[in-house]
Amino acid sequence: MTGSPTESRPSKILKTQDHNDQDKEDKQLQDLSMSKNPRIQRYLVAIEYIGTRFSGSQEQPNCRTVVGVLEDAGVHALSNVCHVDVERISKRKPGEVLPPHEPAVVRRAVNHFLQKNEGDISVIDVRCVPNDFHARFKAQERTYFYRLVSGSEPLSTFEKERAWHVPEKLDLYAMQEACKVLVGHHDFSSFRAAGCQANSPIRTLDELHVCEVPATPYFPSITEREQNNSSLKDSLTCSVKPEVGLPINSFSNTDDMVDTNNGKSNLEEFGIRRRHRSYMVTARARSFLYHQVRLLVGVLKCVGTGELMTSDVERILNAKTVTAASPMAPACGLYLGRVKYDLP
């Protein structure tokens, strides 16, 4: 557990408590989902999708969901994982069971079907796994990313439903200090939305980090292109390629838009949008509570705008009630980045 200790801090929690509770629940549900048919091949399937047009991850009547297409409304995934059981039956000889398809064949076939639809979901990997392997309960670690963009300009069309637009400036250092309070082994009841079905609010947050990143989609400004050309000429002269990194301030194109001499827009740069500052929050843990990441980001955003101090974050954590937390961040900025397994 990190962060400065206080007299009001709860007594130390056994670090194995969250793992033991989770393991018991996982084992019970995994036994129920285990395929008993030896002719069935279980595949582990990794998918990416834009969640804007999905109603969630559970099958619902009259709604398009991730489960419904393959099988947290508005949330995106760089790599989400599910498992499917397939029995390959011969079309020529009904009842004859054929050897299972290779994973690459399954991937191509499923993507061919998916692309006939809206094209906002795609299979990126397939692996054969034992019939007792469960995509949810065998996961060792999950990583989420959350994108925030800061600036007074309206959100770009290319960014809508892809990030949380915060008009105010964000204090990156203050947000990073707040992360230190939240990372570690805690009772996260204050970051657990109503409807959470987990047996325990105890979780170990292995990583919580925020940094500034280039805007997405990123297009280089005039100054950056000149810097790259200059670096290329230098590398050709020296015959050694230098390690060139643009300063973080170059992510904001202050050099593209404003003529500081007369306060008027530079006519040569007419029609070029002023960029937002872009920030990425990374949260990594074995498992998360319902809406935990979005509640964490909601608090971090308030720290960044100055609505909360680091001491307030500690107070919210110790309150152990979700009513103490800041408003939850919207789903549009949340991405499931990776689910880690110890694959056989």
Side-chain angles (χ1 to χ4, degrees), residues 308-343:
L308 294 175
M309 305 294 290
T310 302
S311 58
D312 294 316
V313 177
E314 191 164 358
R315 171 184 54 77
I316 292 170
L317 179 65
N318 292 334
K320 299 181 184 179
T321 173
V322 70
T323 57
S326 302
M328 184 167 60
C332 61
L334 184 60
Y335 297 74
L336 175 57
R338 185 195 180 195
V339 185
K340 182 181 177 181
Y341 297 94
D342 183 11
L343 291 174

Side-chain angles (χ1 to χ4, degrees), residues 189-203:
S189 293
S190 295
F191 299 92
R192 178 186 193 182
C196 181
Q197 298 179 0
N199 292 332
S200 170
I202 310 300
R203 289 293 184 271

Side-chain angles (χ1 to χ4, degrees), residues 177-244:
E177 289 299 301
C179 287
K180 297 177 183 178
V181 175
L182 295 165
V183 75
H185 191 70
H186 303 286
D187 181 333
F188 281 103
S189 293
S190 295
F191 299 92
R192 178 186 193 182
C196 181
Q197 298 179 0
N199 292 332
S200 170
I202 310 300
R203 289 293 184 271
T204 300
L205 189 55
D206 295 310
E207 179 183 359
L208 186 64
H209 178 260
V210 58
C211 61
E212 187 170 2
V213 296
T216 303
Y218 178 75
F219 305 102
S221 67
I222 294 174
T223 301
E224 291 160 352
R225 296 196 298 272
E226 290 175 348
Q227 289 176 345
N228 288 333
N229 290 335
S230 176
S231 299
L232 178 61
K233 292 177 181 178
D234 291 342
S235 65
L236 293 175
T237 301
C238 301
S239 299
V240 177
K241 186 176 182 180
E243 295 183 3
V244 178

